[in-house]
Amino acid sequence: MSRIDALPPLREVIAAHGLTAKKSLGQNFLLDLNLTARIARAAGDLAGADILEVGPGPGGLTRGLLAEGARHVLAVEKDARAMAALAEIAAAYPGRLDILNADALEIDPTQHLSPPIKVVANLPYNVGTELLVRWLTPPAWPPYWESLTLMFQKEVAERIVASPGSKAYGRLAILAQWRADARIVMELPPEAFTPPPKIRSAVVHLKALPAPRFPAPADGLQRLTATAFQQRRKMLRASLKGLHPQISELLESAGIPPTARAEEIDLERFCALARALAQDG
Ligand code: SAM
């Protein structure tokens, strides 16, 4: 294992600070600094950017980001046990790392960062999808971030980049592809992590588009896709009937046959339906 900085290997850091992985926090750590540097590079040029890193844990990816030249990193970690290890990294990179002991779902990172801002994270599944949806659905666009480089379980990564008609197509594909270019840039086997999870993982890179591909209200599109894909095998006139008393007419006005199923409908038509629902709501 090569060294990217003068700090101790991550196994020693974990032992020195008693950072045994906690399942409740979804802790599967990356200990290979070559790998964390590769993930950092997947975020593009870091030199002129501020980075929001969510869930740094013992700091493997944080060290990758700093070694790859990030201008400034804000690392938000819920686990107080990681603070001392992260403070050692901050000392090795004076003035370039701020650490926040907080729940990423409860803070506003923009107060601590200057544009251009990139988000990089290796997060537990449930927090990751919740944050992704929040990052993709602010009312105004473009958002504060330029790109998101996020580790997910592979199955979730496939849902983000899925096309209509595929099994993985759903709310995440629509919200991601509506306002961003999304692609899978790296796959990792379970053995890359300590402890190894049961599933494979993948890194998704999302680049914010200057404007959404089609106009639609963010909250309406989110509600619509959540409802439509809750019962993905049902006809839309049935699965969406709770959203509007004349749902069949609205579906037709958006160019969608009322007997179609959610997985057959592309992004453009979902946006048209979200607009029709907002106008007629
Ligand atoms: N980035 C490290 C790495 O790659 O080795 C750790 C990744 S581990 C999969 C996820 C990290 O997210 C853990 O350190 C965990 O404590 C942290 N975490 C979990 N929920 C969080 C939350 N709501 N806010 C901030 N950090 C969280």
Side-chain angles (χ1 to χ4, degrees):
M1 224 176 276
S2 74
R3 292 174 71 126
I4 60 167
D5 52 37
L7 290 157
L10 282 158
R11 265 183 216 291
E12 283 177 25
V13 173
I14 287 173
H17 297 282
L19 287 173
T20 41
K22 274 194 191 169
K23 226 181 172 166
S24 61
L25 284 168
Q27 291 181 336
N28 301 97
F29 300 131
L30 288 168
L31 303 189
D32 179 348
L33 291 168
N34 290 312
L35 199 53
T36 61
R38 259 180 71 202
I39 298 168
R41 285 197 293 275
D45 183 17
L46 304 178
D50 275 13
I51 311 294
L52 167 63
E53 189 199 350
V54 182
L61 184 52
T62 320
R63 285 163 64 173
L65 291 164
L66 289 161
E68 290 299 317
R71 179 175 69 191
H72 184 83
V73 177
L74 171 68
V76 183
E77 170 58 59
K78 196 171 172 180
D79 189 348
R81 296 178 311 158
M83 293 304 113
L86 294 169
E88 287 173 5
I89 304 172
Y93 290 93
R96 288 175 59 201
L97 173 61
D98 280 342
I99 307 153
L100 215 54
N101 184 197
D103 184 334
L105 293 165
E106 283 166 16
I107 54 133
D108 174 9
T110 56
Q111 295 167 5
H112 308 266
L113 298 163
S114 311
I117 298 166
K118 295 177 181 221
V119 179
V120 183
N122 172 16
L123 272 174
Y125 161 63
N126 55 342
V127 185
T129 28
E130 169 69 31
L131 281 169
L132 174 65
V133 169
R134 289 193 197 182
W135 283 322
L136 291 168
T137 55
W141 200 260
Y144 72 81
W145 51 268
E146 192 171 82
S147 66
L148 309 172
T149 306
L150 307 172
M151 177 93 69
F152 287 102
Q153 46 187 100
K154 190 174 167 222
E155 181 225 315
V156 177
E158 282 168 349
R159 282 201 245 150
I160 295 168
V161 302
S163 306
S166 67
K167 249 166 93 184
Y169 183 63
R171 178 181 72 130
L172 285 184
I174 290 166
L175 295 179
Q177 296 169 36
W178 176 44
R179 285 173 150 178
D181 274 328
R183 59 201 174 89
I184 294 178
V185 291
M186 202 187 292
E187 280 191 31
L188 288 94
E191 314 81 76
F193 300 85
T194 305
K198 291 202 176 66
I199 34 79
R200 288 183 71 81
S201 302
V203 177
V204 184
H205 182 73
L206 299 107
K207 192 170 183 312
L209 295 170
R213 281 184 218 280
F214 307 101
D219 56 345
L221 186 62
Q222 200 190 337
R223 214 169 25 248
L224 167 61
T225 50
T227 313
F229 285 97
Q230 214 158 34
Q231 299 164 297
R232 56 189 297 129
R233 301 296 308 147
K234 268 197 173 179
M235 290 181 194
L236 285 166
R237 69 170 177 223
S239 58
L240 298 180
K241 68 174 189 285
L243 292 185
H244 195 280
Q246 272 96 43
I247 192 65
S248 289
E249 280 86 333
L250 288 194
L251 282 162
E252 303 238 16
S253 78
I256 302 172
T259 52
R261 292 170 169 77
E263 62 198 17
E264 300 161 24
I265 305 306
D266 65 13
L267 172 63
E268 183 169 11
R269 288 188 293 164
F270 265 116
C271 289
L273 182 57
R275 289 197 303 277
L277 280 161
Q279 271 160 23
D280 216 79

